[in-house]
Amino acid sequence: MKRFVIAAALALSSLTAIAANPQVELNTSKGKIIVELYPEQAPISVANFLQYVKSKHYDGTVFHRVVPGFVVQGGGYDVKQEQKPTKASIQNEAKITTEKGLKNDRGMLAMARTGQPHSATSQFYINLKNNDALNYPSFDGWGYAVFGKVLSGMEVADQMAKVSLLPGDTPAEPIILISAKELAAKTEKASASKSSTTK
């Protein structure tokens, strides 16, 4: 009996509960998109994005820029196409995230910014295809920081790319981000004897 208890304890000790990456549900007028965030590879960008999610900043915003075969971008404007106030801009993490394997491939979520490398605030985009030109060092020596991935609902982003557009890549009919919410945290059991790899 004693041996059985010890064996059971050893078996349990080989398993460790690790927190899963945060997930956020984007409920849009075209359908729902679930994204997974990567705080280990992009800590600043993920913390920034979650801050806007938790403060309800994204609720009622629109995907104001749609470029078929490139990206869909949102998070900064309301349905009247008026820019929402934001928090301070963040440090560009593109060099680090690219080195850690996060690239602007189809389905990846990244921070939008102006021509200034450290100007990202609330706006983000979803890559509709592999956009290698946006990876560090890109065309300006900085690139665009990837911080998440679409887990489900990529077909929703593809539907966004099919809408009629006005000059400036603006959808003729608003594509609304009705709400953004963080999903309940989960834990995953992983064997301590197995090394984890990062994509």
Side-chain angles (χ1 to χ4, degrees):
M1 182 66 164
K2 195 171 184 179
R3 286 182 181 177
F4 174 78
V5 172
I6 292 172
L10 287 172
L12 287 172
S13 68
S14 69
L15 298 174
T16 56
I18 57 171
N21 288 326
Q23 293 182 12
V24 171
E25 177 187 273
L26 305 176
N27 183 20
T28 83
S29 55
K30 292 291 185 182
K32 292 183 179 180
I33 299 173
I34 306 295
V35 297
E36 179 181 43
L37 310 179
Y38 301 116
E40 184 177 339
Q41 295 93 329
I44 297 173
S45 300
V46 169
N48 175 72
F49 183 75
L50 286 176
Q51 192 175 38
Y52 284 109
V53 169
K54 291 172 182 176
S55 68
K56 305 295 183 184
H57 172 92
Y58 292 127
D59 296 7
T61 58
V62 295
F63 284 86
H64 64 279
R65 181 177 180 233
V66 172
V67 185
F70 185 47
V71 302
V72 293
Q73 180 176 330
Y77 293 82
D78 62 23
V79 291
K80 296 180 180 178
Q81 289 295 330
E82 294 179 354
Q83 192 163 8
K84 296 187 68 172
T86 64
K87 302 181 186 300
S89 57
I90 62 172
Q91 186 77 14
N92 188 324
E93 295 182 290
K95 183 177 188 295
I96 297 170
T97 57
T98 299
E99 289 172 349
K100 291 187 176 181
L102 296 184
K103 297 183 178 180
N104 281 278
D105 290 340
R106 174 174 163 79
M108 301 303 282
L109 194 71
M111 294 305 303
R113 62 174 175 84
T114 68
Q116 298 299 317
H118 308 296
S119 59
T121 54
S122 66
Q123 292 186 38
F124 63 91
Y125 62 88
I126 297 171
N127 287 283
L128 297 176
K129 71 175 186 66
N130 293 357
N131 291 308
D132 296 338
L134 300 180
N135 296 328
Y136 171 86
S138 191
F139 50 84
D140 61 357
W142 289 96
Y144 294 76
V146 174
F147 66 96
K149 177 183 182 179
V150 173
L151 289 182
S152 65
M154 192 59 200
E155 70 278 3
V156 175
D158 289 333
Q159 284 300 314
M160 293 180 187
K162 295 178 181 178
V163 303
S164 298
L165 299 174
L166 301 172
D169 303 319
T170 303
E173 182 179 338
I175 302 172
I176 303 170
L177 176 45
I178 301 166
S179 64
K181 66 177 181 180
E182 186 174 4
L183 300 178
K186 298 177 182 179
T187 57
E188 299 174 343
K189 286 185 177 180
S191 173
S193 64
K194 294 180 181 179
S195 59
S196 59
T197 56
T198 305
K199 289 183 179 178

